[in-house]
């Protein structure tokens, strides 16, 4: 056992004295030591119930013959951090979470781990850590929030943000906004649509790192507690069989996850997180692979914000395994891969029927024949850009309009709310990329303002930043190279005509080669907006969005 180095032998007598100080008996010290990474806190709605999940995991570990030991991981609430400097600290926590979990696991020689995350950067950060540490590991999330209900209709956080835009346009009263405020987030859990947190928890199942239901069982269901107990028991089985994360998170597993991503219509943030997780597992996952997979993968789900169904509906319809079973009908998945269940994908999904064909479309009747995410390229995004195709209005799939250029999110929001953006415009928000932000803020406020003001089917938004999974419309993010490093998005000027062609994966602006070169020579780099603290170190090390915004030591 790895833990022998901190529990066995005369040389470890001082170590045992400290275990004694913690109240651990000799019997507990002689069993496999299982670290339980608890993301519990009192600021994130998706994490306020994780103390109960962690206690259930501890019981499962103990029942199966292990000794559970809890240690913490941080998490940011993207909704509360949205629209101010706090959002600069969201994506960057992914690496803090991975690094601190690695440090704790290695320093204390755990034999196995159970990760208990729930929200946006917490899930990928812990998946990165699992791949890096590579000891037997199981994931169990805190589960999604139930949908809210306003005027008898299900709703979610994206409706709340859009209500603010509707109020600014005079389309909703303050009292009506207040009703949304009190009803859209009715329970604990990760927000109820197919936003980033739920996307990543579902993809954890698809990767093979979570048990059935990990992504969809609502947070308030007792079934979630039972799932956590089984996760604790299952990690002991993985320990006995020495099945490790890198045995599960292979290249074929990541291709499965991308396929499920396309079928579910996940958040575009998955195109940052999957490559970053793959990088830690020693797998190269390029954005271009997404288009190859999308071309052959039907989009089967339109959960909020793309449609009017929610995570609770996906759970009742059969969950992620039912979606995977539909995909397997056309041979779109590699089903011979090992998972944390101790069984293969094929064994896991056998008999998992689609129980609601309105929520999960049959493979023979998809929402579209291509996947929910598209990667675009062109002279505005020479490397890549990303759009959630499944959440774009049909009339915006091909669009041409004048650029309305802003060098930060705040300026764009002010212009939108002042009525300065009109139908046909293409809003460009730059210097918000991984380095330019720094931190690659999400642009939920401007996209929600556009949608709330009734412009969602006539105005596009392009940024080198990123979007919340709650964003909908022609919201094109992750433009690479970003403005801060001299990408062409930095050279766009007010009124330039921008051409968007999502079906053909194109993103261009109309400019001659001579004019582009002239603007490039006149461009001067901007000083970083933050020059101290963690953000300054992050800015120095972070790579492009099309590489997953991974960190590298500058050469």
């Amino acid at each position: 056992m790895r833990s022998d180095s901190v529990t066995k032998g005369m040389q470890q007598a001082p170590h045992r004295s400290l275990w004694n100080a913690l109240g651990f008996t000799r019997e507990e010290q002689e069993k496999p030591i299982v670290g339980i990474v608890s993301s519990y806190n009192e600021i994130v709605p998706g994490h306020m119930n994780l103390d109960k999940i962690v206690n259930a995991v501890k019981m499962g570990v103990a029942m199966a013959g292990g000794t559970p030991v809890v240690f913490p991981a941080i998490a940011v609430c993207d909704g509360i951090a949205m629209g101010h400097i706090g959002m600069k600290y969201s994506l960057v926590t992914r690496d803090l979470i991975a690094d601190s979990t690695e440090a704790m696991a290695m320093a204390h020689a755990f034999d196995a781990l159970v990760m208990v995350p729930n929200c946006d950067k917490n899930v990928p950060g812990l998946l990165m850590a699992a791949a890096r540490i590579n000891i037997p590991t199981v994931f169990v999330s805190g589960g999604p929030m139930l949908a809210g209900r306003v005027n008898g209709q299900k709703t979610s956080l994206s409706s709340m943000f859009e209500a603010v835009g509707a109020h600014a346009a005079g389309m909703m009263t303050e009292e009506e906004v207040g009703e949304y405020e009190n009803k859209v987030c009715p329970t604990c859990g990760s927000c109820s649509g197919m936003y980033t947190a739920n996307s990543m928890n579902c993809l954890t199942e698809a990767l093979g790192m979570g048990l059935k239901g990990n992504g969809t069982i609502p947070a308030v269901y007792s079934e979630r507690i039972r799932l956590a107990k089984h996760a604790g028991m299952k990690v002991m089985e993985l320990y006995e069989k020495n099945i490790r994360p890198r045995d599960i998170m292979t290249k074929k597993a990541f291709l499965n996850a991308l396929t499920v991503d396309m079928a579910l219509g996940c958040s575009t943030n998955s195109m940052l997180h999957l490559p970053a997780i793959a990088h830690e597992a020693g797998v190269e996952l390029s954005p271009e692979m997404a288009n190859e997979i999308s071309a052959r993968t039907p989009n089967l789900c339109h959960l909020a914000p793309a449609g009017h169904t929610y995570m609770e509906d996906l759970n009742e319809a059969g969950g992620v395994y039912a979606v995977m079973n539909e995909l397997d009908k056309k041979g779109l998945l590699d089903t011979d891969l090992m998972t944390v269940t101790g069984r293969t994908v094929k064994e896991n999904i056998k008999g998992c029927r689609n129980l609601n064909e309105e929520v999960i479309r049959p493979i023979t009747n998809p929402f579209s024949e291509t996947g929910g995410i598209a990667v675009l390229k062109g002279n505005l995004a020479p490397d890549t850009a990303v759009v959630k195709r499944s959440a774009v209005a049909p009339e915006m799939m091909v669009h041409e309009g004048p650029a309305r250029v802003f060098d930060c999110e705040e300026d764009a929001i002010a212009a939108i709310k002042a009525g300065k953006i009109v139908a046909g415009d293409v809003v460009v928000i730059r210097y918000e990329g991984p380095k330019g932000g720094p931190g690659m803020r999400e642009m939920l406020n401007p996209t929600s303002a556009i949608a709330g003001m009734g412009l969602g089917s006539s105005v596009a938004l392009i940024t080198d930043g990123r979007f919340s999974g709650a964003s909908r419309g022609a919201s094109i993010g992750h433009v690479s190279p970003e403005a801060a490093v001299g990408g062409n998005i930095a050279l766009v000027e007010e009124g330039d005509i921008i051409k968007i062609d999502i079906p053909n994966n194109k993103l261009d602006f109309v400019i001659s080669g001579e004019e582009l070169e002239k603007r490039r020579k006149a461009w001067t780099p901007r000083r970083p907006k933050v020059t101290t603290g963690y953000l300054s170190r992050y800015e120095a090390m972070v790579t492009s969005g099309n590489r997953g915004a991974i960190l590298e030591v500058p050469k």
Side-chain angles (χ1 to χ4, degrees):
M1 296 191 298
R2 292 175 79 250
S3 60
D4 286 356
S5 60
V6 294
T7 59
K8 303 285 174 65
M10 181 55 64
Q11 192 68 26
Q12 279 65 45
H15 304 69
R16 289 194 297 275
S17 71
L18 294 169
W19 284 104
N20 292 339
L22 289 164
F24 285 96
T25 65
R26 175 59 67 90
E27 290 83 359
E28 287 174 300
Q29 294 173 45
E30 290 175 348
K31 295 177 180 179
I33 308 295
V34 179
I36 301 173
V37 187
S38 171
S39 304
Y40 169 79
N41 65 43
E42 295 182 342
I43 190 61
V44 184
H47 291 230
M48 62 182 286
N49 65 319
L50 295 189
D51 54 341
K52 296 178 178 61
I53 302 296
V54 166
N55 283 337
V57 171
K58 288 177 67 177
M59 187 172 293
V61 169
M63 285 192 295
T67 297
V69 181
V70 178
F71 66 91
I74 64 168
V76 163
C77 177
D78 278 15
I80 294 174
M82 194 71 66
H84 58 95
I85 192 172
M87 182 44 68
K88 294 179 185 290
Y89 286 88
S90 171
L91 179 61
V92 306
T93 63
R94 186 184 71 182
D95 295 275
L96 284 174
I97 291 162
D99 292 349
S100 59
T101 302
E102 175 195 3
M104 289 293 288
M106 299 305 292
H108 301 103
F110 293 113
D111 295 301
L113 296 167
V114 179
M115 307 291 199
V116 187
N118 209 27
C119 287
D120 296 40
K121 313 310 162 304
N122 194 244
V123 180
L126 290 179
L127 282 165
M128 290 164 67
R132 194 185 296 177
I133 300 163
N134 200 35
I135 59 176
T137 303
V138 174
F139 276 68
V140 56
S141 77
M145 183 183 291
L146 293 179
R149 282 173 171 77
V150 177
N151 299 324
Q153 300 295 317
K154 287 185 179 181
T155 188
S156 61
L157 183 65
S158 54
S159 300
M160 182 72 255
F161 277 89
E162 290 177 16
V164 174
H167 179 264
M171 299 165 64
M172 188 175 283
T173 66
E174 186 173 345
E175 290 74 20
E176 288 171 326
V177 174
E179 185 173 11
Y180 274 82
E181 184 178 332
N182 286 309
K183 293 182 177 179
V184 298
C185 297
T187 72
C188 64
S190 48
C191 295
S192 56
M194 187 54 80
Y195 309 151
T196 307
N198 292 325
S199 294
M200 294 311 302
N201 281 320
C202 287
L203 294 181
T204 299
E205 282 190 62
L207 268 175
M209 291 297 294
L211 302 180
K212 179 185 178 183
N214 177 70
T216 60
I217 298 170
V220 294
Y221 284 13
S222 298
E223 185 182 359
R224 174 68 56 179
I225 301 296
R226 299 197 299 272
L227 180 73
K229 291 176 182 176
H230 282 128
M233 290 185 274
K234 186 60 66 174
V235 80
M236 295 307 300
E237 180 183 325
L238 296 180
Y239 170 76
E240 293 297 332
K241 295 179 178 178
N242 196 29
I243 299 173
R244 303 179 180 224
R246 289 197 185 193
D247 299 326
I248 295 167
M249 289 194 282
T250 62
K251 184 163 187 175
K252 290 180 179 179
F254 282 102
L255 295 180
N256 276 357
L258 268 175
T259 302
V260 175
D261 189 340
M262 295 301 165
L264 287 173
C266 290
S267 164
T268 51
N269 280 315
S270 65
M271 298 306 298
L272 285 173
H273 300 323
L274 286 176
I277 300 161
H279 175 75
E280 296 292 350
V283 173
E284 183 179 350
L285 204 64
S286 70
E288 287 83 354
M289 290 179 181
N291 282 346
E292 296 172 18
I293 291 173
S294 178
R296 62 176 181 264
T297 306
N299 177 225
L300 305 181
C301 299
H302 267 191
L303 283 84
H308 300 288
T309 54
Y310 297 83
M311 295 305 298
E312 63 198 63
D313 301 312
L314 179 59
N315 186 62
E316 294 300 320
V320 175
Y321 279 13
V323 174
M324 294 174 75
N325 204 23
E326 287 290 340
L327 293 170
D328 190 45
K329 291 175 182 177
K330 283 197 172 181
L332 295 173
L333 298 174
D334 190 322
T335 59
D336 293 328
L337 307 181
M338 180 52 61
T339 71
V340 292
T341 66
R343 300 187 298 272
T344 65
V345 172
K346 180 178 286 294
E347 291 170 319
N348 287 342
I349 67 176
K350 183 180 180 181
C352 294
R353 297 186 298 112
N354 180 358
L355 302 176
N356 188 334
E357 293 186 354
E358 295 300 313
V359 177
I360 305 171
R361 287 281 187 91
I363 197 78
T364 54
N365 182 34
F367 284 101
S368 66
E369 292 293 342
T370 53
I373 290 177
V375 174
L376 313 181
K377 294 184 80 169
N379 67 357
L380 187 49
D383 289 342
T384 53
V386 178
V387 64
K388 186 171 183 175
R389 184 200 327 241
S390 59
V392 178
E395 55 267 40
M396 291 298 290
M397 296 294 281
V398 177
H399 180 74
E400 183 175 320
R404 305 298 309 279
V405 182
F406 303 94
D407 287 346
C408 67
E409 177 189 8
E410 289 81 359
D411 290 350
I413 293 171
I416 294 165
K417 291 189 174 179
K420 295 180 180 179
I421 303 302
V422 299
D425 284 348
V426 180
V427 176
V428 176
I429 305 177
R430 61 193 181 190
Y431 295 102
E432 291 285 8
K435 286 185 176 293
M440 205 178 185
R441 288 194 288 183
E442 289 183 341
M443 302 291 147
L444 180 57
N445 276 349
T447 59
S448 298
I450 288 169
M453 297 173 79
L455 297 172
S457 60
S458 60
V459 170
L461 196 153
I462 297 172
T463 181
D464 53 6
R466 60 195 178 92
F467 294 106
S468 165
S471 290
R472 62 186 176 100
S475 304
I476 301 170
H478 310 189
V479 171
S480 302
E482 62 174 292
V485 299
N488 285 354
I489 191 172
L491 309 180
V492 177
E493 294 184 359
E494 188 82 7
D496 285 348
I497 298 300
I498 293 179
K499 294 184 174 183
I500 300 166
D501 186 348
I502 295 172
N504 290 303
N505 307 114
K506 294 287 188 181
L507 181 63
D508 294 287
F509 67 121
V510 178
I511 190 170
S512 68
E514 293 80 9
E515 176 64 18
L516 186 63
E517 190 58 32
K518 176 183 174 183
R519 293 184 190 181
R520 188 176 306 285
K521 288 180 179 178
W523 178 79
T524 55
R526 293 180 169 225
R527 283 183 53 78
K529 295 175 184 175
V530 179
T531 57
T532 60
Y534 177 59
L535 284 182
S536 178
R537 298 196 299 276
Y538 182 87
E539 185 273 334
M541 297 176 67
V542 71
T543 62
S544 173
N546 79 315
R547 295 186 58 201
I550 62 172
L551 301 187
E552 286 184 341
V553 177
K555 295 179 181 178

